[in-house]
Amino acid sequence: MTEADIPSIQTTVDAIAEGHLTSRQWVEHCLARIEETDEINAWSFIDRERALARADHLDRLRQDGSAFGPLHGVPVGLKDIIEVADMPHGCGSELMGNTSEHNASLVDALESAGAIVLGKTETTEFATMHPAPTKNPHGLEYSPGGSSAGSAAAVAAGAVPLAIGSQTNGSVIRPASFCGVFAMKPSAGLIPRTGVLEQSATLDQIGVFAATLEDLALGVDCINVHDSRDSQSINVPRPQCLSGYYAEVPIEPCLAAFRLPFSDRQTKACTEGFREVTEALDTHIEILDAPPVFDQLIEAQRRIHHREAFIAYDALGIVGREPLSNELKDMLKSGQAVSDDEYQEALEVKKSLEGFFHNFFEDFDAILSPSAAGEAPLLSSGHTGDPVFCTIWTLAGLPCLNLPIMEGENGLPIGVQLIGRAKDDARLVRTANWLMTTLFTEGES
């Protein structure tokens, strides 16, 4: 099934508004699909009764002629680091699991738009590196990526049209690439993190998974709200991604692709597929050498990420406790060893990077990059894949999109990543829609 074959959220919400479908029917369909795809292990908790009760409530509101939200009746999955009142807060660890008393800010935003939370999707241990139990819907022996594994897999399996995840390094874009779905990590500060497990106060960012680019834009807009409790939250007029999706480009965009210092990590299929994409774009893309500062970025991200993770998890009281995976123990040990000077130096590198990109996007509409080094690794490898193709853009807080348009050696998906200017997310979505049209519909009879 292609993107064009999938009924959009807007189409389905309109069907509910017109009385051709009920919210309850949509929820029941998704719950049945979850049961049919149970072997994927995408969900850590499902509250069937709560979801159906809310669906019935929304159906009564429709019958009463009450206000109708843009996500009226839309079933949603939430990564299990996002608090939902009266649901367990598992965070992928036996050390967590207490029932939450309050909703995360983004959950309030979803529900005020009419969404129905079905439950929690699986995540890696404390949203770090130790794999979740989730399998890839395109091949059960393969990884769905991490740490937003369950959210990506749930959308890929057709269990929900929309799911929420988070990214501190590559935890939205990489699983979207492996699972073959659209995903967006908006600009840092666009979606509030209040009520979401903190791993890195500087780097944590929320992301959205969807079956189509249009649904993705709508989902981002509905949780694109200010929250003064989040120090990173942007308190200015906000970009509207759905408007960007519908807008025509004023002039044909100019894209850039860097010769990245870690491009040797790409698989042959990824390299060849990405070359075909850039060749198809012809005069619309310019291939550039990476600036020298790029050599420092991976280490700068690691220092900020690991030091802040140690601080956050120490405050939770989990440092030194059992059971923790060896991967997380090593990460916390690494973070504890980062000195104040090293940490401040890394923050200065980040600041310099932000300045570089502020100027860079005066000449380019977006950057094109692979979303991952290749297709999903086998589950037997014991890891969730290499996040390095997301590291730089996350460090800079730039908006990123996964477009599921390439294929690997084993027939599994590989995504192309489109990166835009900070706080210019609507323009990025507009460029992405132009890109998909240019690659797949121009020249067709």
Side-chain angles (χ1 to χ4, degrees), residues 155-299:
V155 171
V160 281
L162 202 65
I164 311 301
S166 68
Q167 178 160 307
T168 308
N169 191 349
S171 297
V172 168
I173 299 300
R174 186 172 83 263
S177 178
F178 289 167
C179 292
V181 297
F182 288 86
M184 185 173 187
K185 181 208 73 61
S187 296
L190 211 62
I191 301 173
R193 305 169 299 174
T194 307
V196 180
L197 175 76
E198 181 179 304
Q199 183 176 157
S200 167
T202 299
L203 301 174
D204 289 347
Q205 293 156 60
I206 305 300
V208 179
F209 300 87
T212 71
L213 184 59
E214 180 184 9
D215 287 355
L216 189 63
L218 174 60
V220 170
D221 281 352
C222 288
I223 56 175
N224 172 11
V225 296
H226 174 61
D227 187 334
S228 60
R229 295 168 294 176
D230 181 352
S231 61
Q232 196 183 70
S233 186
I234 299 168
N235 189 18
V236 294
R238 321 174 77 74
Q240 296 300 304
C241 292
L242 193 59
S243 295
Y245 174 82
Y246 290 133
E248 295 289 334
V249 294
I251 58 173
E252 291 196 329
C254 181
L255 308 178
F258 287 110
R259 297 183 183 92
L260 296 167
F262 40 78
S263 59
D264 58 344
R265 302 191 195 183
Q266 292 174 205
T267 64
K268 182 179 179 181
C270 180
T271 299
E272 292 179 352
F274 190 71
R275 186 183 67 248
E276 289 176 4
V277 171
T278 57
E279 288 176 352
L281 290 169
D282 193 21
T283 58
H284 297 298
I285 191 163
E286 186 173 344
I287 311 299
L288 305 172
D289 290 326
V293 70
F294 276 28
D295 291 332
Q296 307 172 44
L297 301 180
I298 306 304
E299 178 61 18

Side-chain angles (χ1 to χ4, degrees), residues 105 109 131 141 210 218 246 316 318 356 428 430:
S105 181
E141 68 272 33
L218 174 60
Y246 290 133
L316 272 180
I318 69 165
F356 168 81
L428 179 65
R430 185 184 70 190

Side-chain angles (χ1 to χ4, degrees), residues 25-159:
Q25 287 172 329
W26 200 356
V27 169
E28 287 177 336
H29 169 78
C30 289
L31 291 171
R33 184 61 185 160
I34 290 170
E35 290 183 6
E36 292 168 3
T37 58
D38 182 61
E39 72 277 7
I40 293 171
N41 293 327
W43 298 82
S44 61
F45 178 79
I46 297 168
D47 194 331
R48 180 184 180 89
E49 289 72 23
R50 169 188 169 134
L52 289 171
R54 177 162 170 79
D56 289 341
H57 175 64
L58 289 168
D59 287 333
R60 287 192 294 272
L61 291 178
R62 188 202 69 80
Q63 293 166 0
D64 291 344
S66 299
F68 210 81
L71 297 180
H72 187 102
V74 178
V76 177
L78 299 174
K79 181 177 182 176
D80 197 8
I81 63 168
I82 300 168
E83 298 229 42
V84 181
D86 300 322
M87 287 190 185
H89 189 51
C91 302
S93 172
E94 296 176 24
L95 296 175
M96 302 291 282
N98 290 337
T99 300
S100 295
E101 297 181 1
H102 306 284
N103 283 341
S105 181
L106 70 88
V107 177
D108 284 339
L110 283 168
E111 292 190 334
S112 68
I116 300 173
V117 177
L118 296 191
K120 300 293 203 73
T121 55
E122 292 281 7
T123 183
T124 59
E125 178 193 33
F126 288 102
T128 56
M129 298 162 289
H130 190 69
T134 309
K135 301 174 183 177
N136 193 314
H138 294 274
L140 299 183
E141 68 272 33
Y142 292 95
S143 170
S147 60
S148 304
S151 291
V155 171

